[in-house]
Amino acid sequence: QVQFVASGGGLVQPGGSLTLSCAVSGSIARFSTVSWYRQTPGNQREVVATISTGGRGATRWYADSAKGRFTISRDNFKNTWHLQMNDLQVDDTAVYYCNTPEIVATDRWGQGTQVTVSS
């Protein structure tokens, strides 16, 4: 089974930046869409950003809260994708996960990475 491990989280001050990475055991090339999700205590996971690749190149989607601050990218050759997060705010504090819609549908989640934004 494919497994996802998110990394790159940490403690950062408001306005700071982090880059998250997703390591995959297997090829991500078979997944047209890969995504980043986040979850805060007591809340459901929410999609933060997605990137889809196809014949017309890459298409990115961002949650309103991430627009203009976060950038998602993927590297099929390295079997990884990233989330560059700039101008982080306290509300961005959460556990971040990488996953794909196909795997999310089976309710399988890998290891997340904690992002804490605090002064």
Side-chain angles (χ1 to χ4, degrees):
Q1 289 183 342
V2 65
Q3 293 183 335
F4 307 105
V5 178
S7 63
L11 173 63
V12 64
Q13 293 184 340
S17 299
L18 286 172
T19 299
L20 307 183
S21 298
C22 184
V24 182
S25 61
S27 173
I28 69 169
R30 65 189 176 104
F31 299 113
S32 60
T33 299
V34 295
S35 305
W36 284 97
Y37 303 76
R38 68 186 182 187
Q39 185 175 30
T40 54
N43 294 309
Q44 291 185 333
R45 289 185 184 94
E46 60 176 356
V47 180
V48 176
T50 67
I51 182 168
S52 301
T53 55
R56 295 185 177 182
T59 301
R60 294 170 175 83
W61 176 92
Y62 298 96
D64 287 343
S65 59
K67 287 179 181 177
R69 301 187 300 126
F70 294 3
T71 302
I72 187 171
S73 61
R74 65 186 286 172
D75 187 333
N76 285 356
F77 292 104
K78 296 182 178 179
N79 288 325
T80 186
W81 66 95
H82 306 280
L83 185 68
Q84 171 70 41
M85 304 187 295
N86 298 324
D87 190 26
L88 284 162
Q89 302 300 316
V90 173
D91 288 347
D92 295 317
T93 296
V95 179
Y96 285 72
Y97 299 86
C98 50
N99 212 328
T100 72
E102 295 95 322
I103 304 301
V104 169
T106 66
D107 200 25
R108 284 190 290 126
W109 294 88
Q111 178 181 314
T113 186
Q114 175 72 47
V115 171
T116 302
V117 185
S118 175
S119 56

